[in-house]
Amino acid sequence: MPRPRVPDGTPGTSRSTSATIPPNILRYLALVADEYGVDLRPELTRLGLDRSVMGSAALRVSYRQGSAVIRHAVELTGDAHLGLRVGAAQHLTAWGLLGFAQLAAETLRDAVETGVRFQNLSGAMVVWSADVEEVGYVLRAELPDPALDPAVAVFLVEEGFASVVTLTRLSAGAEFAPQSVEFAVPAPPDPDLFTGLFRCPVRFGVAENRMVFPLVWARRPMPGRDPVTYAATLELLEEAMASRRGQQDLLEVLEISIAQSLPDVPSFVEQARRHTSSERTLRRRLAECGTTYEAVVDGVRRERVEQLLRRPELTMRDIARQAGFSDVRALRRAVRRWHGVAPHQLRAPAGRPDD
């Protein structure tokens, strides 16, 4: 679930900095991109996610890393609805233990609610919720950040609903079709791709992203239901969630500590002392989170720079100083590494020049 935002003007970070998302979407994205003749390996490598690393079950990526790869893939393939194809290519096995628990659930509703409950273990990049309403059983997908790049936002919602309908057909019955699917984006020029996949009325330009399940399907027993296996698997998922919360807590504490200290950055030795930990132990715990202290510092600085660039009254010298860079040249190099453009190109049209 997304982390609560801090009030405007208060030092803080967001979920995008921490490497806590299993890279399931990116793995299938790379496979689909291959079909287009697009090689994502250079982009993955640039972000520290080469194919050997991507093959690790313990790997976690940050929201920012995932968004960067998705944006790059959409641009290179030229497919504005790449998310539909990636979602339709998935299997329950990609979700590991969570997918197994869903197969063992009593009803389809139980399977969906298990997915919602443990969504942070599935690699989900949208925020899911579900409930019974007058129209049927409603599954909603919300973006964790309304300011997300529009192309990435479209990809994530389309991938989410496409994967749900595909996995439901694989696990509960190939004849499954939602009652309706609704997207909070404008209608595409050719909606046939959507109606062909979902096999139901599809609406665009509405207030929420949601899929409505017919109640008869929500109550339908799962073919692989097994209450003993389901209960045992839930225990393992709870243990995994507890472990994940510990990792996330560590990253949050470090990010907040760094953000509140800028422009100075606490040394690794100082952070270990603050956590009453040895340097070796802190380094190991960060490795278990799939990151390093340097990467966390870089993420917080990037977050701070992007916030400061939205303030037209600040010069580049001001931004460099407040974000802890030695000079404007160091700031420019960092922004080019992050975004591939100069800092002034990220500013609003009314912003100050690249001084």
Side-chain angles (χ1 to χ4, degrees):
M1 303 293 283
R3 187 184 315 166
R5 295 298 188 93
V6 295
D8 291 342
T10 302
T13 56
S14 74
R15 163 185 175 169
S16 61
T17 302
S18 303
T20 55
I21 303 171
N24 299 335
I25 294 175
L26 301 190
R27 291 195 291 111
Y28 278 92
L29 174 59
L31 292 174
V32 173
D34 282 344
E35 298 174 4
Y36 283 81
V38 170
D39 186 359
L40 292 181
R41 284 177 295 183
E43 179 68 4
L44 292 170
T45 300
R46 185 182 72 82
L47 295 167
L49 302 172
D50 59 50
R51 285 293 179 96
S52 61
V53 173
M54 288 284 286
S56 169
L59 175 67
R60 297 295 182 267
V61 301
S62 70
Y63 206 89
R64 189 183 301 283
Q65 286 175 311
S67 298
V69 176
I70 291 168
R71 185 183 305 109
H72 192 66
V74 172
E75 290 173 356
L76 291 181
T77 61
D79 186 348
H81 302 294
L82 189 61
L84 289 181
R85 304 185 197 282
V86 173
Q90 293 183 38
H91 300 282
L92 270 174
T93 49
W95 292 13
L97 199 60
L98 175 56
F100 188 66
Q102 291 177 288
L103 286 171
E106 181 66 25
T107 65
L108 179 56
R109 177 179 175 179
D110 292 327
V112 171
E113 291 180 354
T114 300
V116 170
R117 178 179 172 186
F118 297 103
Q119 60 186 285
N120 285 343
L121 299 177
S122 71
M125 292 179 68
V126 294
V127 181
W128 294 104
S129 60
D131 206 356
V132 174
E133 299 183 14
E134 187 174 344
V135 294
Y137 184 60
V138 179
L139 177 67
R140 286 183 169 79
E142 297 179 72
L143 297 170
D145 186 348
L148 194 65
D149 180 290
V152 176
V154 168
F155 176 97
L156 291 178
V157 175
E158 291 182 359
E159 183 278 333
F161 282 149
S163 64
V164 167
V165 77
T166 298
L167 299 183
T168 299
R169 287 169 183 159
L170 289 172
S171 61
E175 70 277 20
F176 169 75
Q179 187 170 300
S180 64
V181 179
E182 301 176 354
F183 292 95
V185 296
D190 182 7
D192 290 347
L193 186 62
F194 291 81
T195 54
L197 173 63
F198 295 113
R199 305 178 202 160
C200 70
V202 180
R203 297 177 59 208
F204 298 90
V206 295
E208 298 178 304
N209 300 300
R210 68 178 197 168
M211 175 183 290
V212 181
F213 288 69
L215 287 176
V216 65
W217 268 96
R219 301 184 184 115
R220 184 167 175 157
M222 292 292 287
R225 61 191 180 279
D226 187 308
V228 175
T229 299
Y230 181 67
T233 310
L234 286 190
E235 289 184 12
L236 295 175
L237 289 171
E238 288 287 4
E239 291 175 7
M241 281 291 288
S243 173
R244 185 188 185 282
R245 278 192 291 269
Q247 293 179 355
Q248 182 68 13
D249 287 346
L250 170 64
L251 293 171
E252 286 182 354
V253 168
L254 287 174
E255 289 172 358
I256 292 170
S257 171
I258 295 163
Q260 291 178 338
S261 300
L262 286 177
D264 299 318
V265 176
S267 69
F268 187 74
V269 173
E270 185 178 350
Q271 292 287 18
R273 187 166 56 247
R274 290 181 184 182
H275 287 80
T276 60
S277 166
S278 69
E279 294 175 53
R280 182 178 180 181
T281 299
L282 181 56
R283 190 171 288 109
R284 175 182 55 77
R285 291 186 64 195
L286 286 169
E288 290 171 353
C289 296
T291 191
T292 64
Y293 184 60
E294 292 75 18
V296 176
V297 171
D298 193 56
V300 174
R301 273 182 166 160
R302 177 172 178 168
E303 197 91 13
R304 179 60 58 83
V305 167
E306 290 171 355
Q307 293 170 353
L308 297 174
L309 283 171
R310 291 194 287 268
R311 295 173 55 184
E313 77 277 10
L314 296 178
T315 67
M316 289 297 164
R317 192 172 294 105
D318 294 331
I319 294 171
R321 184 173 58 251
Q322 292 186 37
F325 289 95
S326 58
D327 53 35
V328 173
R329 285 181 300 177
L331 169 65
R332 289 184 183 132
R333 285 195 298 270
V335 172
R336 282 201 174 274
R337 174 166 53 84
W338 296 328
H339 295 283
V341 298
H344 74 274
Q345 293 176 268
L346 298 177
R347 308 202 83 166
R352 295 181 66 122
D354 191 11
D355 46 12

